[in-house]
Each structure stands twice: as C-alpha cells, then as structure tokens.
Amino acid sequence: MSKINYEKHIVALMIEIYCNNKHKTKKNVLCDACNELISFTHDKLEKCPFAENKGACSNCKVHCYKKTHQREKIRKIMKYSGPRMLLYHPKHFFIHYFKTLSNH
Ligand SMILES: [Zn+2]
C-alpha cells in the first residue's frame, strides 16, 4: 500500500470509529456528514502527497485555512479516535504513531 493510500485508510478508519460511536451508525455505515468528511480528507491527501515537505505544507495551510470548519471536525475526530485505534486497530495504531513520531 502506498503512503497516501495508507493515510487514507487510517483517516477513514478513524472517522468510522467516531461516526459509529458518536452518531450511532452501524459498522461500515457512515452518516452523510462523515462520508463528506472522508472525501474531504482524501481529496486533501491527494493534493498534498508530500506532507513533510515544507513547500507543500504551506500550500496545505492555505487550503486548510479556507476549510477551518472541516479542520476543526477532523481535529475532534482524531482526538477521539486516536486512542481508540489501539482498541479497534492496534496494528495500525502503532504504525501510525511510530510514523507520526519519526516525522518530528
Ligand atoms: Zn457521522
């Protein structure tokens, strides 16, 4: 799996955990708002394939700035689902956190 596809997969999993628990949706079913959020994040990942690259990041910030509302939602979901990834998808949790740490 490529890095982008992996990131997409992780984001989708995290949004799914959040939606299932917070919006009382069934497993593998997301509400419209969360589906839209997944498209938004996937779109963003595709437009910014080099997240570590400073030049691309500044472009991203401009993009994010316009979508503050979506970004706030995503931040909330990450905060909620991050620790729960350990429970639901332990393998991904560790890979994700290792990667996050090694990026800083
Ligand atoms: Zn939802």
Side-chain angles (χ1 to χ4, degrees):
M1 205 186 282
S2 76
K3 189 177 180 287
I4 296 302
N5 281 335
Y6 179 78
E7 295 287 333
K8 280 181 176 180
H9 180 63
I10 293 295
V11 165
L13 282 177
M14 286 176 112
I15 293 174
E16 192 186 314
I17 290 171
Y18 184 86
C19 189
N20 287 172
N21 290 344
K22 289 276 184 181
H23 305 149
K24 309 287 175 208
T25 48
K26 287 186 184 123
K27 210 173 157 27
N28 299 324
V29 183
L30 298 181
C31 71
D32 290 347
C34 290
N35 266 324
E36 201 181 295
L37 210 58
I38 288 183
S39 322
F40 168 74
T41 53
H42 284 187
D43 194 47
K44 207 161 89 63
L45 280 170
E46 273 163 23
K47 283 181 182 145
C48 184
F50 304 105
E52 310 94 271
N53 182 288
K54 277 189 189 328
C57 251
S58 57
N59 289 336
C60 247
K61 269 176 198 160
V62 175
H63 184 67
C64 289
Y65 181 73
K66 287 176 190 161
K67 301 260 187 182
T68 312
H69 179 63
Q70 299 280 54
R71 196 171 63 161
E72 278 307 308
K73 268 194 193 170
I74 291 158
R75 192 179 299 169
K76 236 172 91 182
I77 289 169
M78 293 298 155
K79 217 176 142 196
Y80 179 85
S81 295
R84 280 163 182 82
M85 287 293 281
L86 183 61
L87 238 85
Y88 292 89
H89 309 282
K91 194 184 88 185
H92 289 312
F93 175 85
F94 287 119
I95 296 170
H96 187 68
Y97 273 74
F98 176 74
K99 280 172 69 176
T100 306
L101 287 172
S102 61
N103 279 345
H104 291 104

